[in-house]
């Protein structure tokens, strides 16, 4: 398997960071922010992060350049989720993100070398992932749960608390880590919604005739310890954010 070389464009971005967890956190933040600047929707961005995390399940930072893998993941995710992006746009946005004080890239040899590297890296990523790059994300589950929960709650209580915005923000932030690889999407959707409700001290009263908790109705196989574990790991990601700023 060929090496994705650490070229001058990425020099110093990774080597100065001894903690792989911090490096992956920073690179996923790069994917999220670059994706937003590129106008990507939530699901393609989530796919890009998942591709990145899956790649580094079996590959190491010593051999593979994470920012190049990230750019290729963005490019590949656009294809997978049918929100096609031009490599030129990806290069320009990512270059501006990584080199905020430099001039825009000229269409010179360096630009074309970087473009070729992204395309070659995309093929490498596909092989490492055995061409399995289609994922089921928590987004559609969270949307369904939010609609259902709104119908269970007092409409005034729902209107005065930003449950929806907070839950979506928590879900987006979860992609800084590997929760997407280790928990079913339904469980992640329930957990971020549970945390959003906790954040604003909102209790869901009543529920169903069977006496089940609302989260048991949404996902029959989820348990309270699973919710707690997901929330704990998500909280650790926010701790990581404070260490990476």
């Amino acid at each position: 398997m060929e090496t994705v070389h650490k070229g001058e464009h990425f020099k110093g971005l990774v080597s100065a960071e001894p903690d792989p967890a911090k490096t992956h956190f920073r690179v996923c933040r790069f994917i999220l922010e670059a994706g937003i600047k590129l106008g990507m929707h939530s699901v393609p961005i989530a796919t890009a992060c998942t591709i990145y995390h899956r790649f580094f399940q079996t590959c190491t930072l010593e051999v593979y350049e994470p920012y190049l893998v990230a750019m290729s993941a963005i490019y590949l995710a656009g294809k997978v989720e049918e929100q096609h992006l031009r490599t030129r746009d990806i290069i320009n946005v990512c270059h501006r993100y990584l080199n905020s004080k430099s001039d825009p890239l000229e269409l010179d040899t360096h630009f074309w070398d970087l473009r070729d590297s992204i395309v070659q890296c995309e093929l490498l990523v596909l092989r490492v992932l055995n061409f399995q790059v289609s994922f089921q994300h928590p987004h559609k589950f969270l949307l369904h749960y939010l609609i259902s929960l709104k119908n269970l709650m007092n409409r005034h209580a729902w209107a005065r608390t930003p449950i929806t915005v907070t839950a979506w923000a928590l879900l987006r932030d979860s992609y800084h880590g590997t929760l997407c690889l280790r928990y079913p999407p339904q469980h992640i959707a329930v957990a971020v919604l549970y945390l959003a409700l906790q954040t604003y001290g909102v209790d869901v009263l009543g529920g169903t005739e069977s006496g089940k908790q609302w989260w048991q109705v949404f996902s029959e196989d989820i348990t309270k310890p699973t919710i707690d574990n997901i929330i704990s790991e998500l909280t650790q990601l926010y701790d990581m954010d404070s260490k990476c700023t």
Side-chain angles (χ1 to χ4, degrees), residues 165-224:
V165 173
T166 303
W168 283 114
L170 290 169
L171 178 56
R172 178 198 63 220
D173 292 344
S174 74
Y175 282 91
H176 284 86
T178 58
L179 284 165
C180 58
L181 303 184
R182 293 178 292 104
Y183 293 96
Q186 301 95 318
H187 292 184
I188 296 174
V190 167
V192 298
L193 183 51
Y194 188 97
L195 181 54
L197 291 167
Q198 273 195 329
T199 300
Y200 296 100
V202 176
D203 293 321
V204 181
L205 303 176
T208 64
E209 294 179 0
S210 63
K212 289 183 178 181
Q213 297 283 350
W214 63 267
W215 42 269
Q216 292 174 309
V217 176
F218 290 166
S219 180
E220 292 183 355
D221 63 339
I222 198 171
T223 63
K224 184 59 165 58

Side-chain angles (χ1 to χ4, degrees), residues 1 29 35 48 61 64-65 96 98 115 118 136 190 244:
M1 190 179 295
R29 182 164 59 191
L61 292 170
Y64 298 100
E65 165 52 57
R96 174 62 66 179
L98 297 171
R115 183 188 181 281
I118 291 173
Q136 190 176 44
V190 167
C244 291

Side-chain angles (χ1 to χ4, degrees), residues 96-115:
R96 174 62 66 179
Y97 181 97
L98 297 171
N99 305 274
S100 58
K101 296 181 180 179
S102 67
D103 295 328
L105 280 178
E106 300 289 340
L107 292 178
D108 56 11
T109 303
H110 176 62
F111 176 90
W112 293 111
D113 286 346
L114 185 53
R115 183 188 181 281

